[in-house]
Amino acid sequence: MPGSEFQTHPVFRRGVSAKVRLLGYATICVVILVADLRFRYMDFLREYLHTAISPINTVASEPFKLLGNATEHFSNLADLQEENVKLRQHQLNGAERLLRFDGLERENESLRNLLGMRKRTPVKSITAEVLYNVPDSSSRKVILDQGKKAGIAHGLAVVDADGLLGQVTRVYPTQSEVTLITDRNQAVPVQIVRNGLRGVMFGSGQGLRTLSEVSRRWQQAVQSDIGPGSLELRFVLANADIQPNDRLVTSGLDGIFLPGLPVAEVESVDREAGAFARITCRPLGGVERSLRVLVLGRSELPPPPPRPETGDPLPLPSVSPKVERQLKGGN
């Protein structure tokens, strides 16, 4: 048999062994590492490779970013909703406290003003609080929480920090009734501060008797901003020196109200009504608003001078029936 038939086929030839190849590759890697570490030859290759695979990294990382963002979004949304609930509750609590503080501030201001009025009055005064209005549509009266046990008596004047409110007309052991100056049956002797002109102030409140009076009061309420709880200065001549914005104080001529208490301010003067002017006034005190008031005591009048011939005191002047009824607590 010829010798060529026993030669090995090229595909089965054995080359360099695997160990030699591994050693060669390891040597090449070590040389490249040392060269890169020493001379930084591979930086440009890294940059090219990073630029080439950057889109692949971005696409591969997007699902994880979307999942993380969604998780963070819903977590933040839940935290935000919980925080909003807490903030709303805190706001409601703060608003409630603010309302209480405002009420306390107004109450303190009212008490300070009453204290100032007490210091300005030369007589003893009693602090009281308005409980409620008298359920009578024909009058303007209120009930106070102080009565005979506190020293309140018939006929005493009732004021707030701004002016006169009314007069005590009924006294009970622990309560008392006050007829406001806006009641149509209440009369107060007054005096104009500017010129000393005296007159009598009447309430023009409820208790209307005729249809013509109802129509006239309604017209006055529409034309003026002071409403039905206003006052009228009556029996003043049409040519009297009185002007809008004139201030009226108690004259003290009746012996009931202390002189100089603020009562009202002139709102309008109608000199065409007849011989007497129709004068509408606005109360200075909080007749329909004040809750804390002062009940003023009476000032002690000096004794009358003695008679010239006998040395006995002169008799007291006669009092009109209306003033006597007021002193006794009537309307």
Side-chain angles (χ1 to χ4, degrees), residues 19 33 37 67 90 120 193 201 236 273 308 316:
K19 293 181 180 181
L33 290 174
L37 182 63
L67 181 61
H90 182 71
R120 292 194 300 268
V193 176
M201 184 75 69
V236 176
L316 294 174

Side-chain angles (χ1 to χ4, degrees), residues 236-248:
V236 176
L237 296 178
N239 59 355
D241 182 15
I242 185 169
Q243 303 172 4
N245 299 325
D246 280 344
R247 291 175 63 89
L248 303 171

Side-chain angles (χ1 to χ4, degrees), residues 200-214:
V200 180
M201 184 75 69
F202 288 86
S204 60
Q206 299 169 344
L208 307 179
R209 296 179 179 178
T210 63
L211 292 178
S212 61
E213 191 173 3
V214 172

Side-chain angles (χ1 to χ4, degrees), residues 250-261:
T250 53
S251 62
L253 296 180
D254 56 350
I256 299 175
F257 298 106
L258 294 175
L261 296 177

